[in-house]
Amino acid sequence: MKRFQNATLEYNAEKKELVFRDAKTNGIFFAIEFFESMQMKRVFSLYPLSVEIKNNMLELKFSVQSQNQDQNVLTMLIELSQLSTDKKTVIDVSNENFDDIVFS
């Protein structure tokens, strides 16, 4: 989970593109391109990811695994109405309970 600490979520209104980047390397974890109607056009991801749009909410589910092999799902919800102008958000994940969780 350390990868998520201070990662950035960036929305480009002109391109209708949402990008989640690694804070240290600026590498892309995932990117979603939308049509004008905010329906998904294309999804790119380096990790297992489930993407759904439900009731104006973008729901992202990542498969994560602890070092003792427990499988978990990390869910992120984003309100599509918030994606109307260029926006960059820092994702600040606490270090408390996630030290040993990694992407699987």
Side-chain angles (χ1 to χ4, degrees):
M1 284 309 293
K2 291 183 185 219
R3 283 183 180 262
F4 277 124
Q5 291 177 339
N6 300 316
T8 59
L9 192 60
E10 303 167 20
Y11 181 69
N12 182 315
E14 184 179 330
K15 292 181 179 179
K16 297 263 185 252
E17 185 178 76
L18 183 68
V19 179
F20 192 22
R21 295 183 185 275
D22 185 302
K24 292 180 183 171
T25 67
N26 208 32
I28 295 175
F29 287 126
F30 72 82
I32 302 171
E33 187 179 357
F34 295 94
F35 289 110
E36 287 293 322
S37 63
M38 294 307 287
Q39 294 300 309
M40 286 180 286
K41 182 177 183 181
R42 190 175 332 180
V43 177
F44 165 80
S45 179
L46 294 176
Y47 301 97
L49 172 70
S50 166
V51 183
E52 290 184 42
I53 295 178
K54 298 178 185 175
N55 301 326
N56 199 37
M57 295 293 286
L58 178 64
E59 183 180 274
L60 307 169
K61 290 185 178 181
F62 297 91
S63 175
V64 293
Q65 175 179 307
S66 68
Q67 288 181 350
N68 54 353
Q69 308 307 315
D70 294 334
Q71 283 295 124
N72 293 297
V73 174
L74 175 66
T75 302
M76 183 181 297
L77 298 172
I78 301 167
E79 229 178 294
L80 288 177
S81 61
Q82 298 292 313
L83 301 178
S84 57
T85 59
D86 288 349
K87 191 172 190 175
K88 182 174 181 177
T89 305
V90 174
I91 308 297
D92 188 15
V93 176
S94 167
N95 204 13
E96 292 173 11
N97 298 316
F98 299 108
D99 280 342
D100 64 339
I101 295 179
V102 295
F103 284 108
S104 58

